[in-house]
Amino acid sequence: MQAIHSPTLNPSPLGPFRTRNRSPFLVGAASKSRRRVCVVAASAASTVGAPKREKDPKKRVVITGMGLVSVFGSDVDAYYDRLLCGESGITLIDRFDASEFPTRFGGQIRGFCSEGYVNAKNDKRLDDCFRYCIVAGKRALEDADLRGYQRSKINRERAGVVVGTSMGGLTMLSDGVQTLLERGQRKITPFFVPYVISNMGSALLAIDIGFMGPVYSVSAACATSNYCFYAAANHIRRGQADVVLAGGYEAAIVPIGLGSFVALSQRNDDPKTASRPWDRDRDGFVMGEGAGILVMESLEHAMKRGAPIVGEYLGGAINCDAYHMSNPRGDGLCVSSCILSCLEDAGVSAEEVNHINAHATSTIAGDLAEINAIKKVFKNTSELKINATKSMIGHSLGAAGGLEAIATLKAIQRGWLHPSINQFNPEPSIDLDTVPNVKQQHEVNVAISNSFGIGGHNSVVAFTAFQP
């Protein structure tokens, strides 16, 4: 995402560099194949042979539940129905007085209800981002048939929570600073630190549902959710967990959040058409909010308890541009390397992928860099369909990948792709099928979902329909 321009931070050269080992929490079984030079990986797109898909039911990772909080509500099917209709959820902000802001609109959530999901006492204290997280997480558990009684029958020491956020508790942070300035240190609430720090979403959710396995948060800007999916899957593949809640959450439509970005669209006279990925007249991204969380589970564990299976996670990858604080590499070099690493981890070839849910933020540099990367990897794009969920719900920052993963899995389930709306004047170089303005029927074989964040964080995950 292109958000900040700093004359003091120069991009590193575009030349090749060697990737380094990741944290042990984020390194999967295929890490050896991912340790390579980006240039070599990108140039070898058409020659890298993909290994066979995982067959071991202990290492196969399936999705057994989905939960969300979105601008279209908290029901997964209703959310996807409105995406299929090409409906924009972008409206003028009325949560606070935004009349003096350059941008006065966004994907603001309205009518949110946490009753029955969040303890009433905590509900009054929690920042909205944590409320979204808890509701989405518990709805995902319901979808996975892991309500209270059913949940009590699993080994909670082998059940984890890996969810994250880009910005954390911004409302609590803003209110705390204001209290300090106006009333002094003694008036700051004792809940200030716990309800600001970004790890508290996973902690609060784990405390609420009693999961005692791997529980931590990842913060990788707008790539956060995919990082969490990747980490959660690797815990399962290494035999450290049977089931993990994974995804992201965000509630940044507050004055300090809206005012801190300089790459927002300013199309205040027509908010619903403001988010327009791949359109020549785009003028920046549109801020959104919400949460998207998946229940990820080993196939063996899911089969033993008779769980409903939504789809299968095939693999993922993460890397870094190591280039610039906010601008992506224009050639898309390390994004293409990340896609290739994902395909290797998934055990699929580029030819098997026929759907991409793109990051597609509606920024000038970001949209083209991603398309450049896609073209490096996929030589034959005749069957490839690419769409942009953000065109309708805006960019939900740390929650974006979670909400987009759910849209990707629903596309696999239903065989219909939602459109990318607001494509009025397409970029001439975007000669791919971006599902413009109207939904398309499409049987998805393998889908990938892309997420990229400030700092050069790249993450790609791959899904398919479950087949025993």
Side-chain angles (χ1 to χ4, degrees), residues 36-286:
R36 61 181 188 275
V37 178
C38 283
V39 169
V40 173
S43 64
S46 60
T47 59
V48 172
K52 294 180 180 179
R53 299 186 195 181
E54 182 63 67
K55 300 297 183 184
D56 186 346
K58 293 181 180 180
K59 296 182 179 180
R60 288 180 67 181
V61 180
V62 293
I63 311 303
T64 55
M66 301 185 290
L68 58 75
V69 173
S70 80
V71 71
F72 294 138
S74 298
D75 180 88
V76 168
D77 285 319
Y79 163 76
Y80 199 63
D81 286 342
R82 294 174 80 172
L83 290 178
L84 286 177
C85 290
E87 181 178 343
S88 174
I90 309 304
T91 57
L92 291 173
I93 293 168
D94 60 12
R95 181 177 294 158
F96 57 91
D97 182 6
S99 60
E100 299 301 317
F101 286 73
T103 297
R104 299 186 287 278
F105 59 91
Q108 176 185 314
I109 289 174
R110 290 178 166 81
F112 172 71
C113 180
S114 57
E115 185 177 354
Y117 293 98
V118 182
N119 175 276
K121 188 175 182 180
N122 284 336
D123 204 23
K124 296 178 181 179
R125 299 170 175 162
L126 288 177
D127 191 285
D128 276 348
C129 72
F130 300 128
R131 297 169 74 224
Y132 297 164
C133 174
I134 292 170
V135 170
K138 287 189 171 181
R139 290 183 73 96
L141 289 172
E142 291 175 353
D143 194 42
D145 195 21
L146 283 172
R147 293 172 177 83
Y149 172 69
Q150 296 295 333
R151 194 162 65 244
S152 69
K153 296 192 292 185
I154 68 174
N155 183 349
R156 298 192 185 195
E157 293 182 1
R158 293 182 55 79
V161 181
V162 183
V163 296
T165 177
S166 173
M167 307 290 280
L170 282 184
T171 298
M172 181 66 78
L173 175 63
S174 180
D175 290 349
V177 171
Q178 186 172 354
T179 298
L180 174 65
L181 295 176
E182 294 179 356
R183 303 174 62 194
Q185 176 266 334
R186 292 183 180 275
K187 296 298 183 179
I188 297 175
T189 172
F191 294 101
F192 176 77
V193 171
Y195 290 167
V196 167
I197 53 179
S198 60
N199 73 298
M200 199 52 62
S202 55
L204 289 170
L205 190 50
I207 291 167
D208 204 332
I209 62 179
F211 281 10
M212 299 181 289
V215 174
Y216 58 95
S217 293
V218 176
S219 185
C222 310
T224 292
S225 290
N226 277 7
Y227 269 66
C228 292
F229 297 144
Y230 178 64
N234 288 336
H235 281 299
I236 294 169
R237 287 175 164 179
R238 289 198 303 270
Q240 298 169 337
D242 298 321
V243 56
V244 182
L245 275 170
Y249 56 94
E250 205 76 72
I253 299 184
V254 297
I256 194 171
L258 187 70
S260 61
F261 286 96
V262 299
L264 293 172
S265 168
Q266 296 183 23
R267 195 168 272 109
N268 294 295
D269 57 337
D270 194 6
K272 292 187 181 299
T273 71
S275 184
R276 46 177 72 186
W278 308 308
D279 188 86
R280 276 192 288 189
D281 297 323
R282 63 196 180 282
D283 68 331
F285 79 95
V286 176

Side-chain angles (χ1 to χ4, degrees), residues 299-310:
L299 175 59
E300 180 182 66
H301 189 263
M303 296 292 282
K304 281 183 178 179
R305 70 177 189 88
I309 296 179
V310 175

